[in-house]
Amino acid sequence: MEKKIRSAHIGLSFGMAHIEGALAYGADIAAICDCDENSLRRAGERYGIAEDRRFTDYRDIVNSGEIDIVTVAVPDSLHAKISCELLLSGKNVLCEKPLALTRGDIKQIIKAEEQSGRLFMVGQICRFTPSFEKTKSLIEQGTIGEIYFIESEYAHDYMNIVDNWRADPLRHGVVGGGCHAVDLIRWLAGDPVEVFAYGTHKLLPQVPYDDATIAVMKFDENTAGKVFVSTGCKRDYTMRTVIYCTKGTIICDNTSDHITLFTVGEDEMAHEPEIIPVEVNNHNAAREFEVFANAVINGTPVPADAREGAKTVEVCLSIIESSKTGRPVQPDYSF
C-alpha cells in the first residue's frame, strides 16, 4: 500500500483552501497552526482535526519529524523566515504567493531550498486556473502563432480588506496581488528584459503605496507586454488577459466560464470567434496541492520552484522601482 501523504498547514485564512486541497488529495492532516486560537478552533472543528494536532506556534511543526508537506499561508513578510526553517528541518514546502517581499528574502529561500534538498513551490495559483491552462495549451500547440503583445490585469478592490499586513509598505499592490498578473504573463511569454511603469494613488489613502500601477514590458525586439494593477478599483475582481499572436488572439480571465479564440483563415482575416467553455475555478488549491504532492512522491520538478517565484518578484520589484524613479529598469535574474 502506498504511503499516505501527511500534511501540515500554517495560517488558516486562505490556508483553509490548502486544507481542503489536501483532503481532496487524500492526505492525512497531521497538524494545523495559527496564532489566532479562535481561527485554530474553528478550523479544527470544521475538518475534524483533534486538539492535539492544533498548534499556535509554527515551530511545533518545524520540529515534528513525521510531516511530508507543509503549506504556508501567513502574512507575506513572514514567508522567508518560516519557509527557510521548514526546508532546513527536512519539510517539503508549498508557500503562498508572493515568494517574499524583498530581494534579500527571496535569496534566502533559494539558498534554503538548495541546501535542504527538499521540494519548494510558490503558490502562483493562475498556473492552475482552467482558463489560463487552456490558453497556455493553445499557445504551445501553435494554434495562434507567435506572441507579439500580451496584457493582463489584476483588478481587486482592497477597500474593505486592508489590514495591517496588507498596509505594510513593503507589500506594494504590485508585488502583493499584481504578482498574479506578472507571473501569468511570464508563464505564457517568458521573462521580460526591461520594464517601465507609472503609478497613481487616489483610492486607498490608508496604504502608503500606489493603488494603481501600469507597467509596459519588453521581452525581445518583437514581443511586448503590459500589466495593470489596481487595488482600489470600483468593479468586480478580475484578471482579464489578452494574448495577441501572429495567427490569432485569445481573450480570457479567471472568473468567466469561457475563453474567446480568434483565428485567421487563408485570407489572413480573422474568423468569427470561437467560444471555448472552461471550468470557473480561480483559486484551484486542490489542483495546486495535487501537483505538489505528486512531485514529492515521484520526484518530478515542480512548476514554480523558488527561482521561478523569485523571477516573478524581481519583475514586480523592478516595476515598483521604475514607477518611483521614472526610469526603465532591467530585472536582475542572477539570484
Side-chain angles (χ1 to χ4, degrees), residues 137-258:
S137 175
L138 290 168
I139 293 170
E140 290 179 340
Q141 292 168 19
T143 303
I144 55 173
E146 297 180 0
I147 298 172
Y148 66 88
F149 180 69
I150 181 170
E151 61 180 353
S152 185
E153 63 185 30
Y154 176 81
H156 190 179
D157 189 356
Y158 281 12
M159 178 59 74
N160 294 321
I161 60 173
V162 172
D163 46 25
N164 289 337
W165 65 273
R166 283 191 176 92
D168 182 343
L170 291 177
R171 196 191 185 274
H172 191 290
V174 168
V175 68
C179 66
H180 280 308
V182 170
D183 188 75
L184 177 61
I185 67 169
R186 280 194 55 249
W187 188 48
L188 297 176
D191 297 329
V193 297
E194 184 173 278
V195 302
F196 185 83
Y198 292 103
T200 63
H201 192 176
K202 291 186 174 182
L203 294 161
L204 295 178
Q206 65 270 52
V207 301
Y209 47 78
D210 289 338
D211 50 48
T213 304
I214 184 169
V216 293
M217 302 178 177
K218 176 181 177 181
F219 294 89
D220 57 39
E221 292 303 325
N222 281 307
T223 310
K226 182 185 78 173
V227 165
F228 172 65
V229 178
S230 178
T231 52
C233 59
K234 304 309 168 191
R235 60 163 301 174
D236 292 339
Y237 166 65
T238 185
M239 279 191 57
R240 185 176 185 273
T241 301
V242 186
I243 304 96
Y244 295 91
C245 297
T246 53
K247 296 181 180 179
T249 301
I250 296 174
I251 303 173
C252 56
D253 62 57
N254 59 341
T255 58
S256 298
D257 63 1
H258 67 275

Side-chain angles (χ1 to χ4, degrees), residues 60-128:
D60 288 314
I61 293 175
V62 170
N63 295 327
S64 174
E66 297 185 353
I67 295 172
D68 303 301
I69 292 173
V70 183
T71 66
V72 176
V74 299
D76 304 338
S77 60
L78 300 175
H79 285 181
K81 175 178 174 58
I82 294 177
S83 294
C84 288
E85 290 185 33
L86 289 166
L87 285 166
L88 295 174
S89 74
K91 312 296 190 299
N92 300 293
V93 178
L94 169 55
C95 179
E96 262 306 309
K97 64 79 200 165
L99 177 66
L101 299 179
T102 68
R103 291 180 171 97
D105 279 355
I106 62 178
K107 290 179 180 179
Q108 285 184 27
I109 297 176
I110 291 171
K111 183 178 179 181
E113 179 190 41
E114 294 174 346
Q115 286 182 344
S116 70
R118 310 310 291 173
L119 292 184
F120 178 91
M121 188 168 88
V122 59
Q124 298 292 172
I125 200 71
C126 289
R127 299 186 184 214
F128 305 98

Side-chain angles (χ1 to χ4, degrees), residues 295-316:
V296 169
I297 292 171
N298 301 318
T300 53
V302 298
D305 62 8
R307 287 186 178 274
E308 267 294 285
K311 286 183 177 182
T312 292
V313 174
E314 172 61 26
V315 175
C316 292

Side-chain angles (χ1 to χ4, degrees), residues 1-6 25-26 66-69 296-297:
M1 183 177 179
E2 281 191 10
K3 176 181 178 292
K4 196 169 187 178
I5 285 284
R6 287 174 57 82
Y25 185 79
E66 297 185 353
I67 295 172
D68 303 301
I69 292 173
V296 169
I297 292 171

Side-chain angles (χ1 to χ4, degrees), residues 195-198 317-329:
V195 302
F196 185 83
Y198 292 103
L317 294 177
S318 297
I319 290 170
I320 296 167
E321 181 181 344
S322 175
S323 69
K324 290 179 178 179
T325 64
R327 297 191 297 270
V329 175

